[in-house]
Amino acid sequence: MGQEASKPQPGTKLQVIGAGLPRTGTASFSKALEILLQGPVYHGGTQNCKGSSLNLKTWISILEHTPIRSPEDEKFVLSRILALIDGYVAITSAPGFCFVPELMRLYPDAKVICTMRNTEAWDKSVDAIAAASLQWHLKVIFFPLSPMRHFPRYLEALAAGRWAELYHTSGKPTKHVGTQVWDRHIQHLREVVPPEKLVFFDVRDGWEPLCKALGCEVPKGIGFPQINERPGMESFAREQVKQGLIRWILIIGTAATAIVLWRFWVR
């Protein structure tokens, strides 16, 4: 997760479709793309959790139209995605990686780059994030907060929609993702993306393979970004829980005060 949500630049054209799953170095990848392409990147985790509520609400509506079963569904999904990511040079992380075919239709000249990681390490990392995100009490704690009040519903819509469609899962959020999701994702990309447009990239390899894929020169005097997302995500989650509890204390305290005053006046 990045530090702050990016803001679109009108007239900017999407050049890269980030097809890597979460926990594959997407924050470092996003920062690298910002440097190379000199424009804002739509990193899903950051935009959804730190940006406007419009992001989560729009993705929920998109996901609720998946699997796509009609021309109306398709038109809805394409139009909403276009409206949401217009003005960015790239889109990365969730849930963009689930919509590679649609993104290629909208941006046929964009390069599809899938960030990679050791499968077992990815499985362990993503399971830890899933377990933390799916605690039942978060739905209550986040309710007074914007945009996080929409996050539990977003997870439900993702699991029931495109995620289940692509990865043959139960349709419900789960704390264990499994390496079969990784394998099916790679298979899906190979099936839908022409070989000449698909690039697999490990952020540990640094600038050279990424610059080669994009036809860019390696930046001089700039190290490849190394952003460890997990500490930032954990810190953000703790702060959101804290803020949620404070809001609930204020809400309950205000309600209790109102009841006491009402009883006093009706005596």
Side-chain angles (χ1 to χ4, degrees), residues 1-3 20-31 42-47 49-50 92-94 115-117 122 125-126 129 203 225-238:
M1 184 183 294
Q3 297 298 315
L21 291 162
R23 308 301 301 142
T24 59
T26 57
S28 299
F29 177 53
S30 297
K31 185 61 179 179
Y42 190 101
H43 180 271
T46 304
Q47 300 300 123
C49 295
K50 296 186 176 182
T92 63
S93 195
T115 42
M116 301 293 285
R117 186 180 181 182
W122 170 82
S125 178
V126 79
I129 298 300
V203 295
Q226 296 182 354
I227 301 172
N228 186 351
E229 295 178 84
R230 187 165 178 177
M233 294 171 68
E234 291 173 346
S235 175
F236 174 79
R238 286 194 298 268

Side-chain angles (χ1 to χ4, degrees), residues 65-142:
H65 281 77
T66 61
I68 294 174
R69 295 188 173 92
S70 68
E72 290 74 21
D73 281 342
E74 183 178 55
K75 182 179 179 180
F76 182 92
V77 168
L78 290 172
S79 65
R80 292 302 189 277
I81 291 176
L82 181 61
L84 197 59
I85 65 172
D86 182 48
Y88 294 90
V89 294
I91 179 172
T92 63
S93 195
F97 66 85
C98 288
F99 290 93
V100 171
E102 289 79 10
L103 289 164
M104 287 195 301
R105 284 192 59 186
L106 294 170
Y107 302 98
D109 297 328
K111 194 72 117 176
V112 179
I113 302 180
C114 178
T115 42
M116 301 293 285
R117 186 180 181 182
N118 173 271
T119 308
E120 287 71 26
W122 170 82
D123 184 42
K124 183 182 294 185
S125 178
V126 79
D127 275 1
I129 298 300
S133 301
L134 295 174
Q135 298 177 72
W136 67 269
H137 58 273
L138 293 181
K139 184 178 291 188
V140 176
I141 292 174
F142 287 163

Side-chain angles (χ1 to χ4, degrees), residues 28-259:
S28 299
F29 177 53
S30 297
K31 185 61 179 179
L33 292 176
E34 286 183 2
I35 294 169
L36 294 176
L37 304 179
Q38 299 183 351
V41 172
Y42 190 101
H43 180 271
T46 304
Q47 300 300 123
N48 285 335
C49 295
K50 296 186 176 182
S52 163
S53 293
L54 177 66
N55 291 282
L56 279 173
K57 291 164 71 174
T58 301
W59 283 119
I60 289 168
S61 68
I62 291 169
L63 290 162
E64 288 177 343
H65 281 77
T66 61
I68 294 174
R69 295 188 173 92
S70 68
E72 290 74 21
D73 281 342
E74 183 178 55
K75 182 179 179 180
F76 182 92
V77 168
L78 290 172
S79 65
R80 292 302 189 277
I81 291 176
L82 181 61
L84 197 59
I85 65 172
D86 182 48
Y88 294 90
V89 294
I91 179 172
T92 63
S93 195
F97 66 85
C98 288
F99 290 93
V100 171
E102 289 79 10
L103 289 164
M104 287 195 301
R105 284 192 59 186
L106 294 170
Y107 302 98
D109 297 328
K111 194 72 117 176
V112 179
I113 302 180
C114 178
T115 42
M116 301 293 285
R117 186 180 181 182
N118 173 271
T119 308
E120 287 71 26
W122 170 82
D123 184 42
K124 183 182 294 185
S125 178
V126 79
D127 275 1
I129 298 300
S133 301
L134 295 174
Q135 298 177 72
W136 67 269
H137 58 273
L138 293 181
K139 184 178 291 188
V140 176
I141 292 174
F142 287 163
F143 186 77
L145 303 178
S146 180
M148 292 305 292
R149 68 167 59 97
H150 305 291
F151 193 70
R153 186 179 169 200
Y154 160 75
L155 292 179
E156 292 169 358
L158 176 62
R162 183 54 63 94
W163 186 278
E165 177 188 358
L166 292 182
Y167 309 129
H168 310 153
T169 52
S170 67
K172 296 181 179 180
T174 176
K175 294 181 180 180
H176 177 62
V177 176
T179 56
Q180 73 276 4
V181 167
W182 178 279
D183 295 335
R184 287 169 182 160
H185 183 66
I186 301 302
Q187 179 184 352
H188 168 68
L189 292 179
R190 295 190 187 280
E191 290 172 351
V192 301
V193 184
E196 67 274 11
K197 294 184 66 174
L198 179 59
V199 176
F200 292 99
F201 170 64
D202 191 323
V203 295
R204 294 175 299 177
D205 293 334
W207 287 118
E208 289 193 11
L210 180 58
C211 291
K212 181 179 178 181
L214 297 176
C216 301
E217 293 186 1
V218 174
K220 295 181 180 179
I222 302 176
F224 192 89
Q226 296 182 354
I227 301 172
N228 186 351
E229 295 178 84
R230 187 165 178 177
M233 294 171 68
E234 291 173 346
S235 175
F236 174 79
R238 286 194 298 268
E239 181 62 24
Q240 291 300 294
V241 169
K242 177 182 175 182
Q243 291 301 318
L245 292 173
I246 290 173
R247 293 283 182 89
W248 274 116
I249 290 171
L250 292 174
I251 291 169
I252 294 170
T254 301
T257 302
I259 292 171

Side-chain angles (χ1 to χ4, degrees), residues 7-21:
K7 296 181 179 179
Q9 293 179 354
T12 299
K13 184 178 180 180
L14 195 92
Q15 300 176 51
V16 172
I17 299 168
L21 291 162

